[in-house]
Amino acid sequence: MNALTTLFLLHFAWRLWLIGERGNAIAVAAVSAEAAAIAGTCDFYRIPGDDEHHTIFYILALTTWASQMVVYYFGYRALQNSNDRIAAGRAPGSSVVSSSAVFDLMPSPRPPG
């Protein structure tokens, strides 16, 4: 299940990259890779020196999960803002005015004389 979620999140990072949100895309890919590493650590590898309650593991895991929540929030917000801008530009009767429409409304300057 973690592999499928990671594939979805990499697709999400790619979509962010395509809309020009390079920083968010890199952050999403980085925390997704970090989360996959934490999951692998839990399942297949024990951290040397960790106690029987896995304190070191849980410190790393909780830090990773908290960073995932923050990074994914800002990533989804960036994607939503992009979708809103696209929808506003295409909506009939939209209040968004293009720069060419502004220049069409301005009177052209008259030559002196």
Side-chain angles (χ1 to χ4, degrees), residues 4 7 10 12 15 34-36 39 41 50-51 54 56 58 63 69 82 86 90-91 102 105-107 112:
L4 293 175
L7 287 175
L10 291 176
F12 174 57
R15 288 186 62 192
E34 186 180 350
T41 300
D50 205 358
D51 59 8
H54 309 291
I56 295 173
Y58 281 113
T63 303
M69 285 189 289
S82 174
I86 292 169
R90 292 185 183 165
V102 171
L105 296 174
M106 295 173 62

Side-chain angles (χ1 to χ4, degrees), residues 13-80:
W14 179 246
R15 288 186 62 192
L16 287 170
W17 187 271
L18 291 178
I19 64 169
E21 291 287 337
R22 306 263 196 275
N24 280 326
I26 292 169
V28 166
V31 297
S32 298
E34 186 180 350
I38 289 293
T41 300
C42 175
D43 294 339
F44 305 114
Y45 178 74
R46 298 289 175 214
I47 298 172
D50 205 358
D51 59 8
E52 71 260 6
H53 299 294
H54 309 291
T55 305
I56 295 173
F57 166 76
Y58 281 113
I59 289 170
L60 295 173
L62 290 170
T63 303
T64 300
W65 298 335
S67 63
Q68 278 183 291
M69 285 189 289
V70 172
V71 167
Y72 296 156
Y73 169 77
F74 283 109
Y76 275 107
R77 200 169 95 177
L79 190 62
Q80 181 64 43

